[in-house]
Amino acid sequence: RAMELPPGHFPAARAAALAVGYLRYLRGGPSSGLQLRELRRARLQDIDDVGHKYYLELELEDVLDKDRTVSCTAEVLYQLGSKSSAPDVQLTVQGELRSTEEADQEFYNRIRSLEKELVAENIPDSHGNVPPELEPIHLLAWAASGYVIWQNSTENTKFHLAQVKHVKQVKRNDEDLQFDFVVLLHEMVSQEVLPWEVTLLWHPQRGARVPQSRAMGAGS
Amino acid sequence: HQVLRVVPQSNEELQKVQELQELEHLQLDFWLAPSRLGLPVDIRVPFRSLQAVKAHLEATGVSYSIMIEDVQALLDEEQTEMLRSSRQRSVDTNTFNYEAYHTIDEIYNFMDLLVAENPNLVSKLEIGRSTENRPLYVLKFSTGGTNRPAIWIDTGIHSREWVTQASGVWFAKKIVQDHANNEGVASILETMDIFLEIVTNPDGFAYTHTTNRMWRKTRSRHAGTICVGVDPNRNWDAGFGDAGASSNSCSETYHGPYPNSEPEVKSIVDFVKSHGNIKAFVSIHSYSQLLLYPYGYTTTPAPDEQELHEISAKAVAALSSLYGTKYTYGSIITTIYRASGSTVDWTYNQGIKYSFTFELRDTGRYGFLLPAKQIVPTAQETWLALKVIMEHARDNIY
């Protein structure tokens, strides 16, 4: 019923990228960034009247701590003919990566105590540089992009965050940090680089949430 | 800085906005390029160009709105200017900084230095001119003979893939060093020539420095099209115009009005045909960490698929042996996507059996904006894979 797929072929790779994007949103923060180290196994099930379901076995690493990896099994369901709803992703992560509690709290306190709201552009810059103090912002943009990628992926797309064009912190009365991003997403199949506006809320215990996002230039 | 939004409502307005793209001294950064009427064009305008841009638009009644006001970036700009002015022209290829990204002038200067330092090994050929009349230069590495069987390597056909041009510069120096030390590719150079085109798309490359870091295509304008540029990796005469390329000039995979419409492509086609003795052809891109062979335009396997697959396995193992970088390999159409009119499909159909495309580092964390400190490791590991391909071509004459 479920067909074995070569991990080196693009259908499995696209489903894996989507699963990792979703996981980045769920688990993302300023002190860690999850990346796919290896797609170990992939199977595809064509479910009549429902859609295509991919079963994936992934090995993931934290970009800031590459000595450790965790395993993840994911089920990605691309629903038939559905242009408006996001693929359904179910994940199970086995194992633990290093704790980021302390680093997260430190970042949170630092931003909360800024007198002027943080503003930055072009992360990374043209030469791939990210100033160390902006790396947490880069990682938060990665988490925010994960949401957009999850919501907008199909079997015919593979998105990556190409660059943070602009980020502006917005001070709030509640305990969340808010960052308004303009990110460039690179879509591999069409090769387009698409600007998106994404608002991200983040809190050390509550994690990341995206209350709103929209593609720029699609007739706003 | 400010980010201005213009929504052209007429062809005149669209033209006025497009004119801004040509004014390089304004250092405008187009987040959304001009394409169709009614679609917004977003332009990040440095502080010092604001007055000029607003005047240009207001003079023809083009309305704009201010999307983002940002004062802080002024400081960042000054810092960038300082860095830029501190870059000095290299006087020789030993002091050239291989760990940094360079401008087109710096790379063209490097080529001249390399030739001047090694006149018995290296020569520079001009194989044509780009749309904007920039010379298309190929370095020839040869220890003699007449029209020896040859290996072709190109980098930078897609201008935003900066690690590829940077790697090409490193490869050029590496070939010279190996020859001087009688190791590595010195043995290949005994019986074969190597041709290396480092800046295969110079107009696009210049544009990534001055205006839009994410520019991929050429900078040509064809009659009856709205947008600028053709995807040079969809413009070759192999499945041209089939599924896997776009007929919309505003698309990043626009194939162009006809095969070889782009001088950057035609010049290579003419060179390959007139040389007649190229045995291996490698076209280098980034990113994704892939080693690919034909076909992209059809699911029919290439007749030599088994051999190409075996070479790829060996090449990828060699690459990985240096820093553990993982590559996937296979045909274009099964590994990334269907793509028509691509370079190595054409070269393969011309009879150049060992036709390969690389997608270098990384897998998406930095993508096109690969940190400069990864240039040399990337070039070093890729070179090991290239040597496998070159040695196989040398040892399997056809």
Side-chain angles (χ1 to χ4, degrees), chain A residues 109-131:
Chain A
N109 296 340
R110 173 159 75 88
I111 302 295
R112 289 277 281 190
S113 64
L114 287 177
E115 266 184 40
K116 245 185 69 172
E117 289 170 325
L118 182 149
V119 176
E121 291 189 328
N122 291 334
I123 307 168
D125 69 13
S126 283
H127 297 235
N129 291 328
V130 178

Side-chain angles (χ1 to χ4, degrees), chain A residues 70-92:
Chain A
V70 285
S71 297
C72 172
T73 50
E75 289 177 15
V76 176
L77 173 63
Y78 297 97
Q79 284 149 89
L80 252 184
S82 184
K83 297 255 166 150
S84 53
S85 76
D88 184 71
V89 188
Q90 304 295 324
L91 299 163
T92 315

Side-chain angles (χ1 to χ4, degrees), chain B residues 266-282:
Chain B
K266 177 128 201 326
S267 55
I268 302 174
V269 168
D270 291 344
F271 179 83
V272 167
K273 283 179 160 170
S274 76
H275 186 280
N277 207 18
I278 294 177
K279 297 300 175 189
F281 192 106
V282 182

Side-chain angles (χ1 to χ4, degrees), chain A residues 8-10 14 35 63 119 121 124 126-128 135 160 162 165-166 186 188 191-193 195 216-217 220, chain B residues 5 29 31-32 40 42 44 70 72 160 213 216 252 287-288 333-337 363 365 368-369 372:
Chain A
H9 287 196
F10 66 74
R14 289 177 196 174
Q35 159 168 276
V63 295
V119 176
E121 291 189 328
S126 283
H127 297 235
E135 185 61 38
H160 292 283
K165 280 310 278 188
H166 187 90
H186 172 228
M188 193 66 77
Q191 290 294 336
E192 301 295 329
V193 172
M216 286 170 71
S220 34
Chain B
R5 167 162 288 185
D29 182 4
W31 289 10
L32 279 175
D42 290 345
R44 179 173 148 281
D70 177 5
Q72 192 231 349
R160 61 190 180 196
R213 176 61 178 84
R216 163 187 170 90
E252 294 283 25
Y287 58 95
S288 287
I333 198 168
T334 56
T335 311
I336 26 167
Y337 40 55
T363 54
R365 178 166 181 219
F368 300 122
L369 307 180

Side-chain angles (χ1 to χ4, degrees), chain B residues 202-213:
Chain B
D203 296 349
F205 189 55
Y207 200 71
T208 60
H209 278 274
T210 58
T211 313
N212 183 347
R213 176 61 178 84

